[in-house]
Amino acid sequence: MASKRRLSVTEALKMLQNIDEADSGGDGESDDDSWAVDSSAESDSESEAEDVQPPPKRSVSGANIRPTDNAQDAQPSSSVQRLSGGSASGDSVQAASQPPATTRERSHPPLPSIDAQHERERGKDGTIWTLVNGEERGRRQSQNVLTEAEGPTTYARRCVQDPLTSFMCLMDADTLEHIRACTVSEAHRVLGNTSWQMEVDELLAFIALVYVRGAKGGRTLELSSFWSADWGLPYFKETMARNRFQAIMRFLRLDQKETRNARLESNKFALASEVWESFVSNCILCYKPGPDITIDEQLLPTKARCPFTQYMANKPDKFGVKFWVAADVNTKYMLNAAPYLGKDVTRTPGQRLGDSVVLKLAEPFTGKGRNITTNNFFTSLDLARALQEQKTSLVGTMNKKRRELPPSVQEKRPLFSSKVLKSAHATLTIYQGKAKTNVSILSTVHSSAGTLSGPKAKPEPVVYYNRTKVGVDVLDQMLRMYSVKAATRRWPVAVFYNILDMAAVNAWILYKKCMGSKISRRDFIFELANALRANHMSAKERPAVPVPVSVAFEQGADLERRRQCQVRKNCSKNRSKDACVRCRKVVCGQCAGGVSVICVTCKAL
């Protein structure tokens, strides 16, 4: 019997190719030749070759290409054994049947897999997410194109000329008159008479002193120290007496008590709602935001007795009144805000609280191609769809416990790696920023991960979110820097302080934008304070007009009832019907300076 010659790899491959071409008509064998190897692989052992599994391949031109470890793919290997005479020691044939992966890539690189089980994921609520490979390019969606110019409105540009007019655009004359009327009404109710009065100019001077106290960093100091003869500021003495300042603070109210009970039945915020709503509407009226808006929460620190006080452990001040705030990312202008009062009966049944808050705050600014950036408390797929219907996009982090999210958000991935999934027009980016923690960002702005940036390979949605998430946080820092807040037991006064802080920031932004100024915020507050007290200082310097004695008796003596003497220089709370003709204070006979009923204080002038 003739001796059997061992076939080389090249000869075996040629014979296998001839067999495949001859049997391709119907024997069902695969026409895959990507497992071919070169002669360098002949020295590989059989065990090493079996460890390398070829990747699954895409079906091309109707051919059913399967992995090489299937049963039918083993037939060419058996053919090689038959051609070699059944020798079991042919290592080269074994290497040819299961070649290393590196050799496979040299000949024919495998096509990407399209296995539906690996490219599609389903959330707990049935939401389908599809894996996004590569970068999708195309025309920008309509909700991502800004169609309105940002900056002060025409009304604001027409009105703003100096710090005072920029402030009055936000705290208008009607709001100040309402505060004055409520304060005077409370003083009359407490004192039991109508002798206590206050004008709007005096209220503005009071606000000026509050602003200066905050800009000087004296909100934690004792109030009387500002009027101290040794350590006080002359600015306070020149503007108003200490007792008068304390009296205004004592009687300061933002609503009428006579109608309070009826309003509280339908509005928990009734004690400050009228002033707050007027201020917020003026803020919306005066400014158009840029392309990015941040919506977040703000905690107004106060421990005053309040039916809707919140405790938030992650805030610097743990207790206070919570506000939902929308701020412009570029300028930190406060655009819209609303207090959190507990359960909202006006909310649509089944709607999440976060969705309701974002839709209400963003309502004045939708339909213009802007983007809303939120945190994981607000962001949801339903909110993204609702904003898309209003031509507004959404970018925000998502809580991993959301039912619409795919299971892969819980999986641990390689460090600084990204995975992008898509559902309808919303894109979910899963980024492994830390070894044990990843972040999930929902976006209707980005269609893919985009260009990776930095050594941490951050995808575009992550970079965009980091840039636009800071609007409310930076605004809160600005409010705290020169805050007018002080200790108080009445939550409406704490809300009034918050209004003044926000008004100062917004007025400063309006003034810079309208006048092209680069003034610092502290200098702006000082200039605003001087303008607020100007009319009051002019009235103090105005000389008193002499009044005839007959007119004095008509004005001072015809009082409805006897009242306590307000001069109290020579008496002990005597009661009288007379009033001083100059200062209009009630004066008794012992404190009167003459027949014309002039008090001793005015007589000495």
Side-chain angles (χ1 to χ4, degrees):
M1 185 175 62
S3 60
K4 297 181 181 180
R5 184 175 61 87
R6 180 176 179 179
L7 295 177
S8 65
V9 176
T10 305
E11 293 175 345
L13 289 176
K14 289 182 179 180
M15 297 181 68
L16 278 176
Q17 185 175 3
N18 296 333
I19 294 174
D20 290 341
E21 291 177 355
D23 297 340
S24 61
D27 61 354
E29 292 184 354
S30 173
D31 58 352
D32 186 7
D33 59 348
S34 61
W35 48 272
V37 297
D38 55 10
S39 58
S40 61
E42 295 182 4
S43 60
D44 294 340
S45 64
E46 180 179 356
S47 60
E48 291 176 349
E50 291 178 354
D51 291 340
V52 180
Q53 300 295 334
K57 307 193 73 177
R58 186 191 301 268
S59 298
V60 181
S61 303
N64 186 16
I65 302 177
R66 290 176 289 275
T68 57
D69 55 355
N70 291 343
Q72 295 181 359
D73 292 331
Q75 294 179 5
S77 177
S78 61
S79 302
V80 175
Q81 293 180 3
R82 289 196 301 269
L83 292 173
S84 61
S87 174
S89 61
D91 295 340
S92 61
V93 177
Q94 293 292 339
S97 62
Q98 292 185 351
T102 56
T103 309
R104 288 176 166 275
E105 294 177 357
R106 291 196 197 115
S107 57
H108 296 286
L111 297 174
S113 172
I114 58 170
D115 189 356
Q117 295 181 355
H118 296 283
E119 289 200 351
R120 285 176 173 267
E121 297 187 39
R122 184 186 298 271
K124 293 181 179 180
D125 64 344
T127 303
I128 301 298
W129 297 90
T130 306
L131 181 65
V132 176
N133 290 321
E135 183 176 358
E136 296 185 1
R137 297 183 180 274
R139 185 177 180 181
R140 297 184 66 186
Q141 301 182 31
S142 60
Q143 75 266 13
N144 299 331
V145 180
L146 184 63
T147 59
E148 186 178 43
E150 62 176 303
T153 60
T154 305
Y155 165 76
R157 292 187 182 277
R158 184 175 62 249
C159 296
V160 174
Q161 299 177 354
D162 50 45
L164 179 61
T165 52
S166 64
F167 176 82
M168 295 298 293
C169 284
L170 308 174
M171 297 288 291
D172 54 28
D174 294 339
T175 302
L176 295 173
E177 176 60 29
H178 172 77
I179 297 174
R180 186 207 67 82
C182 295
T183 303
V184 172
S185 176
E186 177 66 13
H188 293 174
R189 187 189 67 83
V190 173
L191 297 177
N193 58 66
T194 59
S195 61
W196 198 93
Q197 297 295 332
M198 181 181 66
E199 300 297 331
V200 174
D201 292 340
E202 191 174 11
L203 175 62
L204 292 176
F206 169 81
I207 295 175
L209 295 183
V210 172
Y211 272 134
V212 173
R213 181 181 64 180
K216 290 289 186 179
R219 55 179 179 153
T220 59
L221 300 179
E222 186 180 356
L223 183 64
S224 59
S225 62
F226 292 97
W227 281 268
S228 173
D230 297 328
W231 313 108
L233 298 176
Y235 187 89
F236 285 78
K237 288 184 178 181
E238 296 170 359
T239 305
M240 187 180 298
R242 183 195 62 186
N243 291 345
R244 183 63 175 177
F245 183 92
Q246 291 177 332
I248 296 176
M249 180 62 69
R250 175 190 177 189
F251 300 131
L252 183 64
R253 295 295 183 276
L254 305 182
D255 74 319
Q256 295 287 353
K257 191 169 184 177
E258 291 77 9
T259 61
R260 181 180 298 171
N261 291 333
R263 289 181 285 108
L264 280 174
E265 294 179 358
S266 58
N267 185 9
K268 297 180 182 179
F269 204 63
L271 278 69
S273 61
E274 187 170 349
V275 176
W276 173 263
E277 292 172 0
S278 174
F279 167 70
V280 171
S281 62
N282 288 337
C283 291
I284 297 174
L285 179 64
C286 291
Y287 196 82
K288 296 296 181 183
D292 297 303
I293 298 174
T294 305
I295 294 181
D296 205 344
E297 59 190 13
Q298 178 214 19
L299 185 67
L300 174 63
T302 179
K303 289 189 177 181
R305 188 173 61 181
C306 178
F308 40 85
T309 300
Q310 297 289 311
Y311 171 77
M312 301 182 67
N314 60 338
K315 297 293 183 180
D317 301 290
K318 308 302 181 184
F319 295 91
V321 180
K322 184 164 69 173
F323 288 88
W324 311 115
V325 181
D328 181 45
V329 174
N330 295 334
T331 62
K332 312 306 180 291
Y333 183 94
M334 197 285 292
L335 299 169
N336 200 355
Y340 174 66
L341 307 176
K343 184 178 180 180
D344 186 7
V345 296
T346 63
R347 192 174 63 191
T348 304
Q351 188 182 38
R352 294 178 54 255
L353 174 62
D355 297 358
S356 175
V357 169
V358 173
L359 292 175
K360 287 183 179 179
L361 294 183
E363 183 180 3
F365 315 106
T366 57
K368 303 297 182 180
R370 294 185 173 91
N371 172 70
I372 307 296
T373 301
T374 58
N375 58 20
N376 57 10
F377 177 82
F378 304 96
T379 311
S380 69
L381 195 58
D382 293 337
L383 176 61
R385 293 166 181 165
L387 289 175
Q388 274 189 321
E389 295 176 357
Q390 304 178 20
K391 293 185 178 181
T392 305
S393 58
L394 175 70
V395 174
T397 55
M398 289 197 70
N399 193 328
K400 296 180 182 179
K401 297 181 180 180
R402 298 271 188 227
R403 293 180 56 83
E404 62 265 32
L405 289 183
S408 59
V409 299
Q410 304 287 351
E411 299 175 358
K412 183 179 178 181
R413 299 178 55 82
L415 189 61
F416 305 144
S417 64
S418 302
K419 182 177 181 180
V420 182
L421 301 169
K422 193 169 185 179
S423 177
H425 296 292
T427 302
L428 180 68
T429 303
I430 306 173
Y431 174 67
Q432 192 76 28
K434 297 182 180 179
K436 297 183 179 180
T437 306
N438 61 14
V439 61
S440 302
I441 295 183
L442 184 72
S443 173
T444 56
V445 177
H446 309 86
S447 58
S448 63
T451 305
L452 304 181
S453 61
K456 296 185 178 180
K458 294 182 180 179
E460 285 186 3
V462 175
V463 176
Y464 187 89
Y465 173 77
N466 290 339
R467 181 176 61 84
T468 59
K469 70 178 181 179
V470 298
V472 176
D473 294 336
V474 175
L475 172 63
D476 200 24
Q477 292 177 1
M478 295 170 65
L479 298 179
R480 291 173 180 271
M481 183 175 295
Y482 302 119
S483 177
V484 302
K485 296 182 181 70
T488 179
R489 296 182 179 180
R490 292 178 287 146
W491 68 263
V493 176
V495 173
F496 181 67
Y497 287 152
N498 198 33
I499 292 175
L500 293 181
D501 286 338
M502 291 182 174
V505 172
N506 284 6
W508 173 60
I509 296 172
L510 287 177
Y511 179 74
K512 291 199 306 178
K513 290 289 185 179
C514 294
M515 307 304 296
S517 174
K518 296 183 179 180
I519 186 174
S520 66
R521 191 157 67 95
R522 192 168 187 265
D523 293 340
F524 174 83
I525 292 175
F526 288 144
E527 291 189 12
L528 175 61
N530 286 331
L532 288 173
R533 73 164 190 165
N535 291 340
H536 178 68
M537 297 298 294
S538 300
K540 288 181 62 176
E541 296 174 357
R542 192 178 306 123
V545 179
V547 182
V549 176
S550 59
V551 177
F553 278 108
E554 291 178 3
Q555 296 179 351
D558 296 339
L559 300 177
E560 297 179 358
R561 58 179 180 174
R562 296 168 62 87
R563 298 182 178 85
Q564 288 185 1
C565 177
Q566 296 178 328
V567 180
R568 299 179 188 176
K569 292 287 186 179
N570 303 325
C571 69
S572 177
K573 298 183 181 180
N574 291 348
R575 305 181 73 85
S576 174
K577 291 185 176 181
D578 298 329
C580 177
V581 296
R582 293 185 180 177
C583 64
R584 303 297 300 136
K585 292 183 179 180
V586 179
V587 57
C588 65
Q590 295 181 1
C591 297
V595 184
S596 59
V597 193
I598 301 176
C599 65
V600 293
T601 303
C602 296
K603 185 178 180 181
L605 298 178

